[in-house]
Amino acid sequence: MVQYQVLDRTFSALSDPTRREILNRLAQRPASITELAEPFGMSLTGLKKHVQILEEARLVTTEKIGRTRQCRLGPEHLEGARDWIEVFRRHWEGRLDGLEAFFEQEKGNPR
Amino acid sequence: MVQYQVLDRTFSALSDPTRREILNRLAQRPASITELAEPFGMSLTGLKKHVQILEEARLVTTEKIGRTRQCRLGPEHLEGARDWIEVFRRHWEGRLDGLEAFFEQEKGNPR
């Protein structure tokens, strides 16, 4: 159940283009809320809400330094999300491979 | 922008444990709405809503066969979501590798 909630938050955090872009920018280097808001032409309040959702998903951590809030990537680096997708794809592709092998065998042994 | 919307829908569809479980079950074999609803102890109406969200994300397709609605995996197999995560991780890990190489070099050349 705990793992479920982590994945819920991770995928939900990734479902918005602004939040995905914030992650891409922070993968380059840490940045303040003001620096992050600038290229989006977004209000600081609007951007803070996105950062908060990323924080709840542990994808971002923030720290108050002087008068600015510095953001950097958090402890969650999408391993969980990647692993879920990979397991799903392996099941699905495994099933396709099984079907392909079946048809190949059928071709080799026409009735 | 189009790719953005596809990713928004994919990640949003994956942000719910019931929907992830539906995908896992359909990766095994197609199933009717009634068959899918059973293990969740969920109303057909509740389950249909989840299936509809998966359909909008093209992760599931449905077809009316006689009196039942048959569900199977759709044309979208999470390649987009997987690729986005992989590119993000490569950026992030590339940056970490760069730092590691820098520190290794520093260790080899103490001042």
Side-chain angles (χ1 to χ4, degrees):
Chain A
M1 196 56 196
V2 171
Q3 177 60 12
Y4 266 14
Q5 287 169 359
V6 172
L7 281 178
D8 294 0
R9 283 189 195 155
T10 306
F11 283 128
S12 187
L14 294 178
S15 70
D16 182 279
T18 303
R19 292 198 288 271
R20 291 197 299 275
E21 193 50 37
I22 291 173
L23 289 178
N24 274 331
R25 292 202 56 213
L26 294 179
Q28 310 301 316
R29 59 185 162 280
S32 70
I33 296 274
T34 316
E35 285 167 337
L36 287 175
E38 212 168 297
F40 296 112
M42 192 180 270
S43 71
L44 291 186
T45 315
L47 196 107
K48 270 181 196 161
K49 278 187 195 157
H50 284 304
V51 167
Q52 199 177 338
I53 291 170
L54 290 166
E55 259 191 301
E56 283 163 7
R58 305 182 73 215
L59 292 164
V60 164
T61 55
T62 72
E63 190 189 359
K64 186 105 179 150
I65 300 180
R67 284 161 62 178
T68 66
R69 182 162 288 278
Q70 198 72 3
C71 310
R72 60 180 68 243
L73 288 188
E76 183 69 48
H77 292 147
L78 302 181
E79 285 91 345
R82 180 199 55 186
D83 293 351
W84 188 89
I85 290 176
E86 277 311 304
V87 168
F88 169 79
R89 285 178 54 83
R90 232 174 291 145
H91 281 159
W92 171 238
E93 281 165 5
R95 201 184 132 223
L96 288 187
D97 286 350
L99 279 176
E100 201 175 330
F102 171 77
F103 287 121
E104 281 301 313
Q105 200 184 348
E106 288 289 292
K107 269 201 298 195
N109 302 300
R111 283 173 194 164
Chain B
M1 196 58 194
V2 171
Q3 178 59 10
Y4 266 15
Q5 287 170 358
V6 172
L7 280 178
D8 294 359
R9 283 190 195 156
T10 306
F11 284 128
S12 186
L14 292 179
S15 70
D16 181 278
T18 303
R19 292 197 289 269
R20 293 197 299 274
E21 192 51 36
I22 291 172
L23 289 178
N24 274 331
R25 292 201 56 215
L26 294 179
Q28 310 301 315
R29 60 184 162 282
S32 70
I33 296 273
T34 315
E35 285 167 339
L36 287 174
E38 213 169 294
F40 296 112
M42 191 180 269
S43 72
L44 292 186
T45 314
L47 195 108
K48 270 180 196 162
K49 278 187 195 156
H50 283 303
V51 167
Q52 199 178 338
I53 292 169
L54 289 166
E55 259 191 301
E56 282 163 7
R58 305 182 75 213
L59 292 164
V60 164
T61 54
T62 71
E63 188 189 1
K64 188 104 178 150
I65 300 181
R67 284 161 60 178
T68 67
R69 181 161 287 279
Q70 198 73 1
C71 309
R72 59 180 69 242
L73 288 187
E76 182 69 49
H77 293 149
L78 302 180
E79 285 91 345
R82 181 199 56 186
D83 293 350
W84 188 89
I85 290 178
E86 277 311 305
V87 168
F88 169 78
R89 286 178 53 83
R90 232 174 290 145
H91 281 158
W92 172 238
E93 280 164 7
R95 200 184 132 222
L96 288 186
D97 286 349
L99 280 175
E100 201 175 330
F102 171 77
F103 286 123
E104 281 301 313
Q105 201 185 348
E106 287 290 289
K107 267 201 301 194
N109 302 303
R111 283 172 195 166

